[in-house]
Amino acid sequence: MRRLFIAVTVVVLALAGLAPAAGAATDIEAALRKIPGLTIVKEDPAPAGFRFFELTLTQPADHRHPGAGTFQQRFTLLHRDFTAPTVAFTSGYNVSTAPNRSEPTQIVDGNQLSMEYRYFTPSRPQPENWAKQLTIWQAAADEHHAVQAFKAIYPGKWLATGGSKGGMTATYFRRFFPDDVDATIPYVAPNDVIDPLDVYNRLLSRVGNDPGCRDALKAIQRDALKRRGELGVIAAADAAKRGLTFSIVGSADKSLEISVIDSYFAFWQYQTQADCATVPAPGAPAADVYAWYEKVESLNTYSDQDLSPYIPYYYQAATQLGSPEAYDGYLRDLLRYPGADQPKTFVPSSVKIPRFDYLAMPDVDFWVKSRGTRLLFVYGSNDPWGAEPFELGFGSRDSYRYYVPGGNHGSKIAQLPAADAAAATATVRRWAGLPASAATSGLTARSAPAGFPDFDADLTLSARPRL
């Protein structure tokens, strides 16, 4: 599926160590209750030494006009210690209700305040006014309000982070409110500055180190489009079983075609070079081909049910964020819906899309190059979303960019070559006001205490979105 998102995973609360902490429990509860507009929805079990809360914070629907109504925005708080560093985390989508720790939170062993992006339900203003309320500045203002409010109880160092769209969100937050946090660590964050030549397609034409793999992916795409009737029967049966409909994109056949186009991008986004061996050969049994697409890019990806939760993302892609051009030149003779693979296709007609803001991304790009300070970007060399990364420039200070060799859209500091991982970890700890000595212990320093679910599972991103 073509969206950059953090998927919320189900956490079994009976995991070992998941029990409310004793002792200073009332202290953090009392502190939270003093924050204006904050509501403690409930406290969930957390690993020993931590407290985990589901919260809502009253936010202006329009920060430029605070009197124009409010809404309740969802947050979670993983509390360890009032004196520890605090990490502001966002996925750019829904907030997870699992007590996970992002990599920077693990590195600094800190608290973590996690935010749900506005317009992702239930964090949606009523009445809706998409054009005024759903912009990168409004979302940054949400995070600004929250961070300032929580500084009343966490006066130490603050870091901002996020992966994918969350990494973009963390960068935009820093651009508009540069003094709110001490440093920002964005992961696999695209920087879609308008480019007359599509850099994504240039990367896709040479991604990986095996031309045979690229050829095999293109061959199975062509085979699937030639056999769309056969595969469509399987997809239709699956859709009927799951109650899927396709009114937003227009038809199940259109969904299938767009999914096939996207599969090449999605493969490199989430698979590794080793997965090239799994690509079916043209003419393979339809059930085997369908199963492979289920792993890489479901042929029912663009059902109404799968699209609906992410309409705010596609709206932003169509209005400010931008998106890559479809990599489909070698499929043109087989397409029934050329040009359909663009963000507006995935936004219902009831939501009006204003004229694209061509200044939004260049503005952020220029800020990073001219004034960005204490930024650390992490990318994967095989991740298509890294085709147009944030660039450090003449005015960037104490800022860094790292690439995981062969890395995909799940790349992180721990996957970097040892020297780079140690340097990046030491930098994050320095920004958090901590000694660098623990940075040399590698993965051991970032291992989760007993009872924490795997954060990587909660960072499972869908297949390729159009950002």
Side-chain angles (χ1 to χ4, degrees):
M1 189 178 296
R2 304 175 316 156
R3 53 181 171 270
L4 292 159
F5 77 95
I6 308 262
V8 177
T9 58
V10 176
V11 176
V12 179
L13 296 182
L15 286 173
L18 289 185
T26 56
D27 293 340
I28 179 59
E29 289 177 16
L32 290 173
R33 295 187 190 283
K34 292 180 181 179
I35 295 178
L38 187 74
T39 299
I40 299 175
V41 176
K42 64 176 180 174
E43 180 179 0
D44 293 328
F50 293 83
R51 305 299 303 280
F52 185 68
F53 297 89
E54 295 183 37
L55 312 166
T56 63
L57 180 64
T58 301
Q59 294 276 19
D62 181 349
H63 287 274
R64 299 191 189 279
H65 301 93
T70 61
F71 72 102
Q72 297 301 307
Q73 187 172 31
R74 286 203 305 175
F75 288 80
T76 64
L77 175 67
L78 184 67
H79 169 80
R80 187 182 74 78
D81 191 285
F82 290 109
T83 63
T86 303
V87 176
F89 170 81
T90 179
S91 70
Y93 293 87
N94 292 106
V95 69
S96 171
T97 54
N100 290 320
R101 302 197 303 171
S102 66
E103 189 176 49
T105 308
Q106 295 177 48
I107 290 173
V108 304
D109 196 19
N111 311 297
Q112 181 170 300
L113 177 66
S114 301
M115 178 184 80
E116 185 161 79
Y117 201 98
R118 59 167 48 212
Y119 266 74
F120 286 86
T121 55
S123 299
R124 181 175 294 194
Q126 295 294 336
E128 299 172 6
N129 188 330
W130 294 67
K132 288 186 177 180
Q133 296 169 352
L134 187 53
T135 67
I136 61 171
W137 182 86
Q138 294 282 7
D142 288 339
E143 194 161 0
H144 168 69
H145 178 203
V147 168
Q148 291 300 320
F150 277 83
K151 280 186 175 181
I153 61 175
Y154 296 122
K157 297 289 187 180
W158 277 75
L159 307 174
T161 192
S164 192
K165 184 173 181 285
M168 299 166 73
T169 302
T171 306
Y172 306 155
F173 167 50
R174 191 71 182 287
R175 182 268 175 269
F176 294 119
F177 300 96
D179 300 323
D180 273 14
V181 296
D182 296 281
T184 303
I185 304 97
Y187 290 79
V188 294
N191 178 33
D192 287 330
V193 180
I194 302 302
D195 190 331
L197 299 175
D198 196 311
V199 295
Y200 290 90
N201 285 358
R202 291 204 297 269
L203 182 146
L204 289 169
S205 69
R206 59 178 186 269
V207 65
N209 56 21
D210 180 6
C213 182
R214 298 193 294 268
D215 291 342
L217 288 168
K218 294 176 181 179
I220 197 59
Q221 286 177 289
R222 290 190 60 82
D223 184 63
L225 291 176
K226 290 177 181 177
R227 300 165 64 191
R228 70 167 75 211
E230 187 180 4
L231 292 171
V233 169
I234 302 176
D238 181 49
K241 181 179 179 179
R242 296 167 54 198
L244 303 181
T245 55
F246 298 88
S247 62
I248 296 176
V249 298
S251 70
D253 187 58
K254 192 172 182 179
S255 170
L256 184 150
E257 179 172 295
I258 297 172
S259 297
V260 170
I261 295 171
D262 284 349
S263 65
Y264 185 94
F265 192 117
F267 178 89
W268 294 108
Q269 184 174 351
Y270 292 116
Q271 311 302 314
T272 66
Q273 190 78 37
D275 293 305
C276 291
T278 69
V279 181
D288 294 346
V289 175
Y290 190 83
W292 181 81
Y293 273 101
E294 282 295 291
K295 177 183 177 182
V296 174
E297 174 83 349
S298 171
L299 298 183
N300 283 327
T301 286
Y302 297 105
S303 69
D304 300 332
Q305 290 71 22
D306 286 334
L307 277 177
S308 292
Y310 306 104
I311 290 169
Y313 157 70
Y314 289 108
Y315 174 89
Q316 286 197 285
T319 57
Q320 286 190 305
L321 304 182
S323 63
E325 179 182 314
Y327 187 58
D328 62 1
Y330 53 94
L331 302 173
R332 293 286 172 84
D333 60 311
L334 299 173
L335 299 182
R336 295 176 180 173
Y337 315 97
D341 195 16
Q342 52 185 305
K344 67 180 183 180
T345 298
F346 313 110
V347 178
S349 58
S350 59
V351 178
K352 303 305 178 186
I353 300 176
R355 181 176 299 179
F356 188 82
D357 180 359
Y358 287 97
L359 299 179
M361 295 301 102
D363 169 75
V364 178
D365 177 70
F366 181 74
W367 178 84
V368 169
K369 292 175 179 175
S370 63
R371 301 183 65 184
T373 304
R374 295 184 300 280
L375 303 168
L376 193 153
F377 295 97
V378 179
Y379 291 96
S381 67
N382 280 355
D383 177 18
W385 283 111
E388 193 169 6
F390 281 97
E391 301 275 359
L392 303 176
F394 63 93
S396 302
R397 298 289 182 269
D398 193 14
S399 295
Y400 311 89
R401 190 176 68 180
Y402 293 96
Y403 280 87
V404 174
N408 61 15
H409 206 53
S411 295
K412 56 185 179 179
I413 291 172
Q415 297 171 342
L416 292 168
D420 287 347
T425 301
T427 297
V428 172
R429 290 182 59 81
R430 171 170 60 83
W431 288 339
L434 300 173
S437 57
T440 61
S441 58
L443 294 176
T444 303
R446 289 188 286 266
S447 60
F452 270 108
D454 182 8
F455 185 69
D456 289 339
D458 210 46
L459 281 176
T460 302
L461 306 180
S462 72
R464 172 201 176 203
R466 277 286 191 217
L467 228 151

